[in-house]
């Protein structure tokens, strides 16, 4: 059972890095540092978008409109950190 919890914690950690990469990539595209017309950049952009958008879209629908500021990645990261803490502090020590 601890092995399964370790895998869940690892997947959550990897998804955290994907969310951070998505935020940085969106800033780079918004400020025209990188161009989405490049095939490699477009493939990376589409991959990161497909990994993060199914989770971020419901959060965006529930949050109030803050203008041009998207806080849904921050909310998702806070939820991931909460899940990791709950697993680490309450579930993991009680599993044999």
């Amino acid at each position: 059972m601890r092995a399964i919890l370790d895998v869940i914690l690892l997947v959550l950690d990897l998804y955290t890095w994907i969310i951070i990469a998505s935020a940085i990539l969106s800033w780079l595209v918004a400020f025209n540092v990188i161009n989405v017309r490049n095939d490699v950049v477009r493939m990376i952009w589409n991959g990161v978008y497909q990994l993060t958008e199914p989770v971020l879209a419901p959060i965006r629908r529930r949050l109030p409109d803050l203008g041009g500021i998207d806080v849904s990645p921050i909310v998702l990261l806070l939820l991931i950190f909460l899940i990791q803490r709950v697993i680490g502090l309450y579930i993991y020590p009680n599993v044999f």
Side-chain angles (χ1 to χ4, degrees), residues 12-66:
L12 289 173
D13 195 34
L14 288 173
Y15 201 68
T16 299
W17 287 107
I18 291 171
I19 294 168
I20 292 170
S22 171
I24 292 172
L25 190 62
S26 70
W27 293 337
L28 292 175
V29 168
F31 293 120
N32 287 328
V33 175
I34 58 175
N35 192 353
V36 184
R37 291 184 209 130
N38 186 341
D39 290 336
V40 175
V41 173
R42 189 177 328 116
M43 284 188 334
I44 294 170
W45 176 261
N46 286 336
V48 169
Y49 181 80
Q50 290 176 357
L51 286 172
T52 58
E53 193 58 28
V55 181
L56 291 175
I59 296 172
R60 284 190 190 116
R61 280 194 300 264
R62 292 203 166 104
L63 290 176
D65 186 22
L66 298 175

Side-chain angles (χ1 to χ4, degrees), residues 62-76:
R62 292 203 166 104
L63 290 176
D65 186 22
L66 298 175
I69 300 172
D70 184 18
V71 295
S72 60
I74 297 170
V75 172
L76 182 58

Side-chain angles (χ1 to χ4, degrees), residues 9 12-13 16 79-89:
L9 289 173
L12 289 173
D13 195 34
T16 299
L79 286 172
I80 289 174
F81 294 153
L82 175 71
I83 292 169
Q84 286 177 335
R85 294 284 290 193
V86 167
I87 289 173
L89 294 175

